[in-house]
Amino acid sequence: MALTDLKIRNAKPTDKQQKLFDERGLYLLVTPAGGKWWRLKYRFGGKEKSLSMGVFPDVTLKQARERRDAARKLLANGVDPGIERKVQRAGAAERAANSFESVAREWFAKQAPGWAATHADKIMGRLEKDAFPWLGGRPIAEITAPEVLAVLRRVEARGALDTAHRVHQNCGQVFRYAIATGRAERDVSADLRGALPAARHTHFPSVTQPSEVAGLLRALDAFQGTFVVQCALRLAPLLFVRPGELRTAQWSQFDLDKAQWRYTVSKTKTEHLVPLASQVVAILRELHALTGQRTYVFPGRDVKKPMSGAAVNAALRRMGFDTKTEITGHGFRAMARTILHEHLRFPGEVIEHQLAHKVPDALGAAYNRTKFIDDRVRMMQAWADCLDKLKAGAHIIPIRGGTDPALN
């Protein structure tokens, strides 16, 4: 007799497996543990075989019969349904391995060790948010240029044109990796050059007029947040390193007796030396009493990790500064570059080396961490002294042709 839902639900497990037969080879296997598995009994090539049809109640009696009928059609056409299932699964596994997301994550895993953590997070964040939902499951070799353009248009439509260009760039990198690994024949994103409007790049907002610096510095000193963040705010203009390099600074990189900080530049992966002004050393010695036993100079809530990347900008906003139009943690670099060159008259190449920028010289050396080191030591102390005097109400009076301005 054919099975019914009631009979299936009332079937109780025993100490042995039970087979409850339906029709045309379909039966329900009831295990001693209480599991109920659909099976199809059939013959192919003179051999008796069994094919799984799913688990009850996830697969209902009606669905199991539909699967049985589909399998018997294959048999009628001379196809073993068990072999056909293996072929389909292998094809699905291959398509999954060659999907855009799989290739992208493989490419990312190869490249990420050479990137700064913040840079890597931004790339994967863009892919996960703007590309994977629409392209992730598609075989990369089958993706067309219009599909990629549709992804970019969605990003552009929300007003993030610069991000759209970066997604375009990242997609191109993934396609080129797929070509190199034999999973695609061409980079279809290359067909989209010029499809997006040119992005307008803006600089990080910064305070670059000496007359405005005093108020900013006094506001930093008056910050009422945690002592760790307060120290980070006081040091940011004095050191003018990249925000990620400041917040991830480790005590092992500092020699306070020699007034030096050595670390690896996040962008160029080169060693960098920051001479520490006496004011900086004083702040660090005070902070060392609190965090000196930790790895990071500025630990976060989880003391095993550095301070949040958003902490400095969040503190600036708490003090009333607009981080979109006035100042950001990165803006202290522009502040130092502008005032050191235009008002304190330090040579541009000395400033650029201290900023850890690549500045090719006549001998072709792109960067040397100790080049101009005597000038940089003097410059960093002069900069700290200048900020102290500005904070106290002095005014810069540039002396043309010199590097020692007067302040009154």
Side-chain angles (χ1 to χ4, degrees), residues 308-341:
S308 164
V312 169
N313 282 352
L316 289 169
R317 287 192 292 271
R318 282 178 58 188
M319 289 184 283
F321 293 100
D322 187 334
T323 53
K324 291 185 178 180
T325 62
E326 293 182 292
I327 185 67
T328 67
H330 202 286
F332 292 117
R333 289 168 63 78
M335 182 176 83
R337 182 194 297 114
T338 301
I339 296 177
L340 281 168
H341 185 58

Side-chain angles (χ1 to χ4, degrees), residues 155-178:
V155 182
E156 180 190 6
R158 69 170 190 258
L161 182 57
D162 185 65
T163 300
H165 280 281
R166 294 181 186 277
V167 173
H168 183 195
Q169 178 187 28
N170 296 149
C171 286
Q173 292 168 318
V174 173
F175 277 112
R176 290 190 290 276
Y177 178 76

Side-chain angles (χ1 to χ4, degrees), residues 243-261:
E245 294 163 350
L246 179 65
R247 75 178 186 86
T248 59
Q250 300 183 25
W251 281 115
S252 61
Q253 301 166 341
F254 287 84
D255 188 329
L256 298 184
D257 293 330
K258 292 183 179 180
Q260 293 180 344
W261 174 23

Side-chain angles (χ1 to χ4, degrees), residues 54-119:
V55 181
F56 182 87
D58 296 337
V59 177
T60 65
L61 175 59
K62 180 182 178 181
Q63 292 170 330
R65 285 171 175 169
E66 290 172 349
R67 295 183 181 187
R68 173 201 62 195
D69 293 343
R72 292 190 68 84
K73 285 182 180 179
L74 291 174
L75 285 168
N77 291 319
V79 177
D80 184 337
I83 298 298
E84 177 65 14
R85 176 176 292 178
K86 292 180 180 179
V87 171
Q88 293 296 330
R89 285 177 175 172
E94 182 178 359
R95 287 192 296 275
N98 295 332
S99 69
F100 180 87
E101 181 171 350
S102 293
V103 176
R105 290 191 181 279
E106 184 180 317
W107 164 77
F108 180 83
K110 299 280 187 183
Q111 301 297 325
W115 295 334
T118 53
H119 179 63

